[in-house]
Amino acid sequence: MFTLAEVASLNDIQPTYRILKPWWDVFMDYLAVVMLMVAIFAGTMQLTKDQVVCLPVLQSTVNSKAQPGTSGKADFTTVETTTGQGEEASMRTVSFGSAPTVTPDVPLSRATSSQYQPTESGQELKKEQKDSSGRKTNLDFQQYVFINQMCYHLALPWYSKYFPYLVLIHTIILIVSSNFWFKYPKTCSKIEHFVSILGKCFESPWTTKALSETACEDSEENKQRLTGAQSLPKYVSTSSDEGSPSASTPMITKSGFKFSADKPMIEVPSVTILDKKDGEQAKALFEKVRKFRAHVEDSDLIYKLYVGQTVIKTVKFIFILCYTANFVNTISFEHICNPKVEHLIGYTQFECTHNMAYMLKKLLISYISLICVYGFICLYTLFWLFRIPLKEYSFEKVREESSFSDIPDVKNDFAFLLHMVDQYDQLYSKRFGVFLSEVSENKLREISLNHEWTFEKLRQHVSRNAQDKQELHLFMLSGVPDAVFDLTDLDVLKLELIPEAKIPAKISQMTNLQELHLCHCPAKVEQTAFSFLRDHLRCLHVKFTDVAEIPAWVYLLKNLRELYLIGNLNSENNKMIGLESLRELRHLKILHVKSNLTKIPPNITDVAPHLTKLVIHNDGTKLVVLNSLKKMTNVAELELQNCELERIPHAIFSLSNLQELDLKSNSIRTIEEIISFQHLKRLTCLKLWHNKIVNIPSSITHIKNLESLYLSNNKLESLPAAVFSLQKLRCLDVSYNSIMLIPVEIGLLQNLQHFHITGNKVDVLPKQLFKCVKLRTLSLGQNCITSIPDKVSQLLQLTHLELKGNCLDRLPATLGQCQLLRKSGLVVEDHLFDALPSEVKEVLNQDTSIPFANGI
């Protein structure tokens, strides 16, 4: 036999799931337990005490002599027999009808083999009535037991026999229906995850801190408490983690996560600093909540399943009530039984009593009462389910009561679960809402960030860049640590991949800050901070993916001198480049744009009058519209790199103040337009490297002020004599072409200081080359040169000589006469250097500590 505890275990759920059980579900669970008790009690009584006691109904005949006028209808005499366990007692009661009756004294064998015929006289009948207390049935004990069993199954209504089992089955079905959503695999995992996250959010120290600060945000008492916080006893943290809080941080005891269904006490913290462990746990919770919301809001399976099981319970209640009410009156104490065993017993009809009838009737009425209460609660549940839209949940009240006005409303299963939790305790959803707020998450990140990145740690990350300026580079942080703004001697600040960067008013302390880098970092600035940046910032680098990421305040920095924009500025977004244009940048001198433009944005012309340098790196996108260049009359340096230009743009010839032109990495094949450069009297540097130029026109002689000419990485096969008529030329770079001969006219370039012809096909060096006595750099590597003339000693100012990659057998000993040449500036094979005379090597090794390796 099973116990009540075993049956009640069907109704058990995890203790943590109780927060999802509203009062009606709890009440129905208790009702189900009571119904189980009714079923088990009735079943126990039935198995141990249920029995039927039957006696035969004796048929009496009409005495035709005494009453000839009667119709001969039989009268019945009732005989009652009570049997007990281990003992037998008999009691005969004779009931007389209108006709005289006779009790036969014939044995059973004779009674079954012959017809019953009353032969006693009236005197004998009176004598029997006087001497006996009942009528004899001539049935032994075994026959009574047999007929009792027969009549138990034939005479009793089926409901009286199976009532306990029906109640048990119905109750189990109701219990399963109530808790099915906790067991169904597709909903169980979501509910388990939700309850786990909800419990952690409820007990998180960050939740307590956020809500307590919100409650006391505008309170004078809170201000006084914070003012007097220093006088409070301090607690020492025992955390052993790296970056643990300082001694003033209170220790938050953590004994492992244990979710309690009871409402815990909330203690308002006396200080606002979380230790590192609690901060990391809170950040992990934000991520879990974000992912759980994205997963659960996509469907409403939990809601539909709960509605479905409630409908099933309601239909079950109506069904039970309808058929059970009809059987209340069928449970009776007395029953007439006709077992059709006259050939075994000798009687055709029996009158039986059911000793459990009264108790079963009372239990049935009790069960119907419980079912009615259960059904009314089911109806109320349905009313609640459809009265309000449970697939939508608003945190409006939480937003009004707290400073987290950005807590979003949720929908579908997420909303339904929160509605269910509200029926248990609304504080759960209130505390849970803290982890849906981006403001709360950013605040947590800020606290954790400031705790991790102290002034001392930031100072260790400060370095000096190539310009000998103090530079700090922060990469992939959740924000900008407050301690950064205490580095008052910082010159350059780089913020990279910091999506929530905020620049507070404290930046005004950084009086030396003149250069700021924002790499995928749409920083927000406070008004005071903006005023400081507007007046003091000189150089700004902004790297972005979309132009909309450029902060609006960038275009209002009136004292900005240099602006570097690196990101996507395709033709669709060109109109957005300036937002309110660049006209506020009145002092901008250098504009560097690295993007994929098809035309120069019109807004750039707003800064044209005072712009001195314009750099456009176009990443291979063809730049087709360049007319706006004509307005940049003050531009001294112009770079149009990787713009797929096929010719030199005519708009350039209008830039009368142009001093340096760089057309690197384009597709220029011919430079016949170079004659127009004669109008650019100030042009001193021309860079046409990394193109497809085949020859140099003789008109290049008209650029009389040219000092630097870069033609490397083209397809030149010869150098025209016109190039060497440029008397002011100081630097000539024709590396990596197909030049086979250095013209003797090169000796005319008396001001030449740097000559690069690496990576060509030169095999002989003309003696006139060494007349360029001002040469400091001579790059002759990767050619076919077989010998170096001794006249190399005439290059007294030579500091760098590249000879590696030629066909040399030896080096001239006169290299030692190049007074400024050192081993570090001589690029040549090791064996050639080792073959030099020792005194030459000694001269070349003089005053240098750089080891010679691979000829360098």
Side-chain angles (χ1 to χ4, degrees), residues 11-23:
N11 201 28
D12 285 347
I13 58 172
Q14 297 184 24
T16 53
Y17 285 2
R18 293 177 184 172
I19 61 173
L20 295 176
K21 302 279 284 186
W23 68 265

Side-chain angles (χ1 to χ4, degrees), residues 193-203 207 211 285-286 288-290 292-293 393 395 398 407 410 414 417-418 421 426-437 440:
H193 195 187
F194 172 76
V195 172
S196 174
I197 294 176
L198 184 65
K200 293 177 181 178
C201 292
F202 191 92
E203 296 187 355
T207 315
L211 291 178
L285 276 178
F286 273 106
K288 287 182 180 179
V289 170
R290 187 182 299 109
F292 177 77
R293 179 188 175 194
Y393 189 90
F395 285 94
V398 180
I407 300 178
V410 295
F414 199 5
L417 290 173
L418 289 173
V421 169
Q426 293 186 355
L427 185 59
Y428 278 93
S429 57
K430 182 178 180 180
R431 295 174 71 93
F432 190 77
V434 172
F435 288 88
L436 291 170
S437 169
S440 174

Side-chain angles (χ1 to χ4, degrees), residues 503 505 525-532 534:
I503 302 177
V525 298
E526 297 180 3
Q527 183 61 38
T528 306
F530 168 72
S531 299
F532 172 81
R534 180 188 59 195

Side-chain angles (χ1 to χ4, degrees), residues 12-47:
D12 285 347
I13 58 172
Q14 297 184 24
T16 53
Y17 285 2
R18 293 177 184 172
I19 61 173
L20 295 176
K21 302 279 284 186
W23 68 265
W24 53 82
D25 278 351
V26 175
F27 195 15
M28 284 192 285
D29 287 344
Y30 283 118
L31 288 175
V33 172
V34 175
M35 286 187 281
L36 277 177
M37 295 175 65
V38 170
I40 294 173
F41 177 72
T44 304
M45 294 292 292
Q46 191 175 56
L47 292 174

